[in-house]
Amino acid sequence: MSESMYHESIDFLKPYIQTQPLIGIVLGTGLGGLVADIQIKHKIPYTSIPHFPVSTVESHQGYLLIGTLANKEVIVMQGRFHYYEGYSMEQVTYPIRIMALLGIQNLMISNAAGGLNPEFEIGELMLIHDHINLFPEHPLRGKNNPQWGPRFPDMSEPYAFNYIEIAEKFAHSANFKLHKGVYAGVQGPCLETRAEYKYLRTIGADAVGMSSIPENIVARHMGIKVFAVSVITDKCIPELLKVLSLEEVIAAAQKAEPNLRKLIHYMVSVLD
Ligand code: HPA
C-alpha cells in the first residue's frame, strides 16, 4: 500500500470529523451492541472508503461509525479484519493507521477470547495488561516510515497502565468482576488443540484469541495509548475441553456486553 492510498482514505474521511480529542474504538465478535450507546452521526460502510479492506466474517459488520459517546467524539470500527481471513498485516492494521492519522490518541480494543486461566468463567471480562505475539507475520516488518514511528518501538507498556488502574477501580465500584491478564494472539482460524492450550498456559497466557495484537502494535508504533478488554467466551482448560460453536462465542459475548458497555462508556468519559 502506497502512502497516497492512506492519504486518499484520510481525505475521504476528514470531512466527517468535527472535534478532537477523537477516540478510536474497535468492536470485537458479538460486541456490536455497544453502538447503542453511541450517538451516531455518520455510518460509513467500509466498502465506500477508498482502499479500506472489506469484512468477510458473518458476525462482523463492516462500518466505520463517527459520533459521540460520553460527550466525546469517537470513531468506531464495527467489524475488524482478521489475519486468518487472508488479509495481509498491512490490510489488517490499515484502519488503525487511518484512525491514527485522523488524530486519535487513544484506542480501545475489545475482542472475544478463550480463557486459559482456570479462574476465568464464560462471560467474564479480562483487561489485557500484556500480550504474547504468536502471529506468523509482524505488522511492522519491512521499511519503516519514520513519520509514523520508530524502527524499534518500545513495548514496555503495550497497554496503558493508568487506564488499567482506572478500569479496575471502576469495576470494583460498579461491582463486577474484571480480571487482568496476558493475551496470546494466534493466527487461527482453527481453535487450539488441548496440547496447544497447555502450551499457551505454560508460556504465561491467560487468554487466547485471533486478533488485537496487530492493532495494538501499530497503535503503539504511532504513539497511541491502548486500552483493551477480552470477553471470555469459552474455557480452554485441556481436561475440560468441549466442542465450541460460533453461536456459543457470540452468546457469551452478549452475556458480557452490559458490563463491557458500562466499562467502555466510563473509560471514554475519563480518557485524556
Ligand atoms: N482460541 C482462539 N480464539 C478464540 C478462542 C479460543 O479458544 N475463543 C474465542 N476466540
Side-chain angles (χ1 to χ4, degrees):
M1 267 169 190
S2 66
E3 207 152 334
S4 65
M5 290 167 127
Y6 286 87
H7 284 298
E8 281 167 31
S9 301
I10 296 159
D11 289 345
F12 174 86
L13 290 168
K14 250 190 193 148
Y16 294 103
I17 312 279
Q18 281 172 353
T19 53
Q20 301 282 345
L22 180 65
I23 295 169
I25 302 176
V26 182
L27 299 178
T29 306
L31 303 170
L34 283 170
V35 299
D37 297 339
I38 299 165
Q39 285 77 52
I40 299 169
K41 295 211 185 90
H42 305 287
K43 181 172 179 176
I44 307 164
Y46 291 162
T47 45
S48 73
I49 307 169
H51 314 301
F52 236 64
V54 176
S55 201
T56 62
V57 182
E58 253 176 64
S59 53
H60 286 254
Q61 293 162 287
Y63 295 99
L64 203 60
L65 310 174
I66 296 170
T68 55
L69 178 63
N71 292 321
K72 295 208 176 133
E73 192 163 28
V74 290
I75 179 163
V76 181
M77 283 180 70
Q78 192 176 23
R80 64 147 61 83
F81 303 102
H82 297 87
Y83 187 72
Y84 65 72
E85 293 175 84
Y87 301 110
S88 67
M89 275 296 176
E90 201 174 5
Q91 287 176 306
V92 167
T93 57
Y94 191 83
I96 308 296
R97 294 268 188 224
I98 296 300
M99 290 196 284
L101 295 167
L102 286 169
I104 67 163
Q105 261 137 44
N106 289 288
L107 179 67
M108 314 191 72
I109 300 176
S110 61
N111 62 44
L116 298 160
N117 185 322
E119 287 176 20
F120 294 0
E121 296 300 333
I122 292 171
E124 291 180 342
L125 301 177
M126 182 193 89
L127 289 174
I128 303 177
H129 79 90
D130 209 343
H131 71 223
I132 301 174
N133 181 12
L134 297 172
F135 281 89
E137 190 191 337
H138 199 283
L140 304 184
R141 177 171 176 268
K143 195 170 183 296
N144 185 52
N145 180 343
Q147 283 172 336
W148 285 352
R151 171 72 290 186
F152 301 107
D154 182 80
M155 288 300 267
S156 61
E157 191 176 343
Y159 303 88
F161 295 154
N162 67 325
Y163 293 162
I164 291 171
E165 209 175 291
I166 292 167
E168 284 187 303
K169 282 194 187 134
F170 174 73
H172 186 72
S173 66
N175 210 16
F176 65 86
K177 200 172 246 178
L178 187 57
H179 299 287
K180 184 165 70 171
V182 174
Y183 175 92
V186 295
Q187 162 170 218
C190 278
L191 296 170
E192 292 67 34
T193 63
R194 287 167 216 273
E196 286 162 346
Y197 285 134
K198 194 171 171 196
Y199 156 76
L200 292 167
R201 183 71 185 140
T202 305
I203 63 170
D206 295 290
V208 55
M210 304 172 194
S211 68
S212 302
I213 292 183
E215 288 106 312
N216 170 277
I217 289 171
V218 162
R220 292 304 300 136
H221 182 233
M222 297 178 97
I224 290 158
K225 287 173 85 169
V226 180
F227 175 76
V229 186
S230 290
V231 173
I232 304 301
T233 55
D234 52 301
K235 277 177 88 80
C236 305
I237 311 298
E239 302 76 33
L240 306 175
L241 199 59
K242 288 191 309 199
V243 175
L244 176 69
S245 66
L246 181 62
E247 288 71 33
E248 284 173 90
V249 169
I250 292 172
Q254 279 163 1
K255 187 175 154 200
E257 203 168 73
N259 287 341
L260 186 64
R261 268 165 84 162
K262 274 190 242 165
L263 179 62
I264 292 203
H265 195 284
Y266 179 75
M267 291 308 291
V268 167
S269 75
V270 298
L271 291 192
D272 41 41

